[in-house]
Amino acid sequence: MKSDCIQTTTCQERKKDPIEMFHSGQLVKVCAPMVRYSKLSFRTLVRKYDCDLCYTPMIVAADFVRSAKARDSEFTTNQGDCPLIVQFAANDARLLSDAARIVCPYANGIDINCGCPQRWALAEGYGACLINKPELVRDMVKQVRNQVENPRFSVSIKIRIHDDLTRTVDLCRKAEATGVSWITVHGRTVEERHQPVHYEAIKIIKESMSIPIVANGDIRSLKEAENVWHVTGTDGVMVARGLLANPAMFAGYEETPLKCIWDWVDIALELGTPYMCFHQHLMYMMEKITSRQEKKIFNALSSTSAVLDYLTDHYGIDRTS
């Protein structure tokens, strides 16, 4: 586990309690957990553009607890990386609580992934299969609550919905009774991928609960985020692909501004972001501002120096200026 603040376990923003943010009456703008993508460098970027709360990529709790190598590669943070939620894939209460204890000094809380629909996750008993195992979710939440001494440390869950929404409401009520801090609802079932998001279902869940609810699914602009917030009555919105395409969307930009691309270059190089990740993020960010021919050239670049030369030549982006 790599951190610039291993010894100093709090930072200024750590004092910002996400639960208090959700009770502020203001739209809380959240960067979703994204495998490979919502790592420290990207979190640093979106925070510059009005993102209020960031999640790490999903981390398998069992591997994290058992392997120092996994901890070093999967969880990197620094003093400015907060407020921060660490998301875990877990199916064992003891292992999850052990993982929570490890990250507790460096994060505001943990989130249990109960929504990942990928086959490997379901086969391992992680992700979306947990929406059908409310007792296991209850046990995991209770164990973390018992093992982590900090009362302000949050324990949240991220779910998908059932075909029968009464089952989802029942799951959420049981989670609330167990002490879950808030629930993020992706408004699709496990089987749905690109179908329209069921915002009405999220609204019904919100109206059935007392704890904060965060809406998630197909939000691509600040205007859409505000609309979903109003339509569902939720306490925040979580965005994944919309932020990949435009990390500045929460600041109101309709497409990635050149300054944001410059900021990404600067942050990524400073934090030692691996080339493939550095390049992939730029491909997402530049999707709307490059022609098909430009994409073909840019996507084929194979080194940091080649990318920097391309950006300087085509967009006047020069991090040395």
Side-chain angles (χ1 to χ4, degrees), residues 115-122 128 160-161 186-198 216-218 220 241:
C116 179
Q118 295 184 35
R119 286 182 185 174
W120 74 266
L122 300 178
R160 285 191 171 228
I161 60 174
H186 182 97
R188 292 187 176 99
T189 66
V190 179
E191 292 77 24
E192 291 175 325
R193 292 295 185 273
H194 304 293
Q195 292 88 336
V197 177
H198 303 286
N216 173 231
D218 274 5
R220 304 296 180 119
R241 285 176 293 182

Side-chain angles (χ1 to χ4, degrees), residues 68-120:
K69 183 178 180 182
R71 290 194 290 277
D72 285 343
S73 64
E74 297 295 327
F75 182 59
T76 305
T77 189
N78 63 21
Q79 199 166 4
D81 184 31
C82 38
L84 177 67
I85 303 300
V86 182
Q87 190 188 66
F88 285 111
N91 58 14
D92 180 283
R94 183 185 59 79
L95 285 172
L96 178 64
S97 66
D98 288 347
R101 285 214 320 262
I102 293 170
V103 301
C104 179
Y106 315 108
N108 294 82
I110 64 141
D111 184 83
I112 306 170
N113 186 315
C114 304
C116 179
Q118 295 184 35
R119 286 182 185 174
W120 74 266

Side-chain angles (χ1 to χ4, degrees), residues 165-286:
L165 194 60
T166 59
R167 293 182 63 198
T168 314
V169 171
D170 181 61
L171 168 72
C172 292
R173 284 176 172 161
K174 287 177 178 175
E176 180 177 28
T178 305
V180 159
S181 306
W182 69 84
I183 299 172
T184 300
V185 183
H186 182 97
R188 292 187 176 99
T189 66
V190 179
E191 292 77 24
E192 291 175 325
R193 292 295 185 273
H194 304 293
Q195 292 88 336
V197 177
H198 303 286
Y199 294 120
E200 183 63 28
I202 300 176
K203 180 182 179 183
I204 291 169
I205 293 168
K206 171 58 186 174
E207 290 171 346
S208 305
M209 308 295 294
S210 299
I211 58 173
I213 301 295
V214 179
N216 173 231
D218 274 5
I219 298 168
R220 304 296 180 119
S221 68
L222 178 61
K223 187 175 180 180
E224 286 183 12
E226 291 172 339
N227 183 56
V228 169
W229 180 51
H230 288 300
V231 165
T232 60
T234 50
D235 305 281
V237 297
M238 176 183 282
V239 178
R241 285 176 293 182
L243 280 174
L244 281 181
N246 178 9
M249 66 161 276
F250 282 146
Y253 292 92
E254 291 297 317
E255 59 186 30
T256 309
L258 292 179
K259 183 182 185 307
C260 182
I261 294 173
W262 186 95
D263 285 338
W264 169 246
V265 170
D266 204 38
I267 290 166
L269 295 182
E270 181 182 345
L271 294 177
T273 304
Y275 175 73
M276 284 187 66
C277 179
F278 168 66
H279 188 213
Q280 187 68 54
H281 273 293
L282 285 170
M283 288 162 61
Y284 279 121
M285 291 180 208
M286 297 170 62

